[in-house]
Amino acid sequence: MSNQQVTLTQFIIEQQRGLPDASGTFTLLLNNIVTACKQISHRVNCGALIGVLGSAESENVQGEVQKKLDIITNDIMVKALDWSGSLGGMASEEINDPIKIPKQYPKGKYLVLFDPLDGSSNIDINMTVGTIFSILRCREGIEPETEDFLRRGTEQVCAGFVLYGPSTMLVLTTGNGVNGFTLDQDVGEFILTHCNMKIPEDSSEFAINMSNQRFWEPPVKRYIDECVAGEDGPRGKNFNMRWVASLVAEVYRILNRGGVFLYPHDLRDPSKPGKLRLMYEANPMAFIIEQAGGLCSTGRERILDLKPNSIHQRVPLILGSKNEVERIIAYHQQD
């Protein structure tokens, strides 16, 4: 191994040295999140060997069927974080209410929101899944209520996701750009491998679930029709479509080579404005995407400006290369 390799811990400590009020609490919190993700990576990699695949025959708060690993990974995250003294509270996609810190442990100045296993519907077919997390500040020592979690995405201190694929990767922002770290399985450390990730402003790839096109609003239909028309259409170039049905995989691809991802508002059910969760998916991904030079919108509003109304709120999500997202926003404005 090269002596020049930088571990995640070293990277975070060096970033914080320039901050006069840095206490090391944030570094401890991030290390605990990373420890949980290493454990999750191991469980995901073992899969059927340790009997963790398949349905748990239960539903989460959104009414979705839970996989065994949804429950296991949620427990891993909670147990890795509740004791540290860094947190005032937690919120998970899998749990209805905010998770309280046990009384025997001190309360800290941060809140963590997480989706412990994004894309878990893919787990039984050995496709890429991941963990998404968002960190907010909290008034120290309080018992946070739901309202304390309902903050705009612009207030995030940190956002990241871990990708459990051919290699295990962590993508992270603390508001100073986006960096990627690859888990060295031999030494158990995340190593900086992707510095200052930037999304190309232009692209010829889009990702959307085409089976829903009969429910799309006109601005989305117009954009996709133009892409599909290729060289003969108004865009004058050919586009490729990608659809993994795993948000972490879609975003990682866009961070590396550009593109646009759409899970837009559709007309099936007026009471459900979107599919993806604002607090656990859209906000952290929007923070990362914007820090890498991309844009993230509902089509009508910037994701990071939305004021949440519940911790499990769903929103439309359109993100990726700046010029493509701007075009989609313009079509919504013209509609």
Side-chain angles (χ1 to χ4, degrees):
M1 287 177 60
S2 166
N3 292 330
Q4 301 302 310
Q5 288 185 325
V6 176
T7 67
L8 174 63
T9 303
Q10 180 184 347
F11 179 85
I12 295 300
I13 289 173
E14 288 183 352
Q15 274 202 333
Q16 290 206 309
R17 278 182 181 149
L19 303 176
D21 60 344
S23 64
T25 306
F26 176 77
T27 304
L28 173 62
L29 171 57
L30 203 53
N31 275 337
N32 289 339
I33 292 173
V34 166
T35 296
C37 291
K38 291 175 187 175
Q39 294 176 35
I40 293 170
S41 176
H42 173 69
R43 297 294 185 99
V44 169
N45 287 340
C46 287
L49 296 175
I50 56 174
V52 296
L53 300 185
S55 170
E57 298 183 356
S58 60
E59 293 184 350
N60 66 13
V61 65
Q62 287 87 23
E64 298 166 332
V65 174
Q66 290 177 305
K67 299 291 186 178
K68 293 177 185 177
L69 269 173
D70 285 320
I71 299 169
I72 292 168
T73 55
N74 183 78
D75 290 345
I76 288 172
M77 288 292 287
V78 172
K79 289 175 183 176
L81 298 174
D82 64 5
W83 62 273
S84 69
S86 307
L87 290 180
M90 292 176 271
S92 168
E93 184 192 342
E94 301 298 327
I95 305 295
N96 188 38
D97 298 313
I99 301 163
K100 297 183 183 298
I101 302 301
K103 293 190 184 327
Q104 66 266 33
Y105 300 131
K107 292 183 176 60
K109 59 183 180 181
Y110 295 105
L111 302 172
V112 169
L113 303 98
F114 55 84
D115 179 352
L117 198 65
D118 179 77
S120 60
S121 62
N122 288 326
I123 192 70
D124 293 343
I125 54 173
N126 201 28
M127 288 183 68
T128 298
V129 295
T131 299
I132 309 172
F133 61 90
S134 170
I135 301 175
L136 299 166
R137 293 195 189 279
C138 176
R139 291 170 290 147
E140 198 160 2
I142 69 160
E143 186 71 69
E145 303 294 333
T146 299
E147 188 62 33
D148 291 291
F149 290 86
L150 301 181
R151 314 257 279 283
R152 288 180 172 85
T154 51
E155 297 185 58
Q156 292 174 102
V157 175
C158 173
F161 65 89
V162 177
L163 198 70
Y164 310 116
S167 59
T168 296
M169 292 202 61
L170 166 67
V171 175
L172 185 74
T173 184
T174 57
N176 295 295
V178 178
N179 293 280
F181 303 80
T182 302
L183 180 62
D184 184 331
Q185 301 280 3
D186 291 334
V187 297
E189 289 279 6
F190 278 97
I191 306 296
L192 179 64
T193 51
H194 295 65
C195 296
N196 196 27
M197 302 176 80
K198 290 294 182 186
I199 300 170
E201 292 188 352
D202 295 294
S203 174
S204 57
E205 283 190 352
F206 67 94
I208 194 168
N209 186 345
M210 291 291 285
S211 68
N212 293 330
Q213 60 184 306
R214 65 193 183 280
F215 303 116
W216 294 341
E217 293 183 304
V220 172
K221 190 173 190 310
R222 175 184 173 186
Y223 175 78
I224 299 300
D225 285 348
E226 290 179 356
C227 292
V228 172
E231 289 181 341
D232 298 327
R235 300 298 302 274
K237 65 176 183 177
N238 292 324
F239 282 75
N240 288 322
M241 193 194 87
R242 299 287 182 264
W243 182 250
V244 186
S246 170
L247 181 61
V248 289
E250 305 280 8
V251 170
Y252 184 70
R253 183 186 64 249
I254 288 169
L255 284 168
N256 277 279
R257 67 188 196 200
V260 62
F261 167 89
L262 303 93
Y263 215 124
H265 175 73
D266 65 41
L267 306 175
R268 265 175 297 187
D269 185 346
S271 68
K272 294 180 179 178
K275 167 72 173 175
L276 300 177
R277 289 78 175 176
L278 175 61
M279 306 302 292
Y280 313 102
E281 295 171 316
N283 267 345
M285 289 310 196
F287 192 16
I288 291 167
I289 289 290
E290 288 199 5
Q291 283 292 312
L295 290 181
C296 193
S297 174
T298 65
R300 295 179 171 87
E301 298 175 271
R302 180 188 181 213
I303 288 288
L304 292 179
D305 287 338
L306 296 177
K307 178 66 173 78
N309 57 44
S310 77
I311 59 172
H312 298 295
Q313 179 180 348
R314 295 174 187 255
V315 293
L317 183 61
I318 299 167
L319 60 81
S321 293
K322 179 176 179 290
N323 292 339
E324 294 302 312
V325 178
E326 284 183 341
R327 178 182 290 267
I328 299 167
I329 292 170
Y331 290 176
H332 281 81
Q333 291 170 342
Q334 295 165 17
D335 184 43

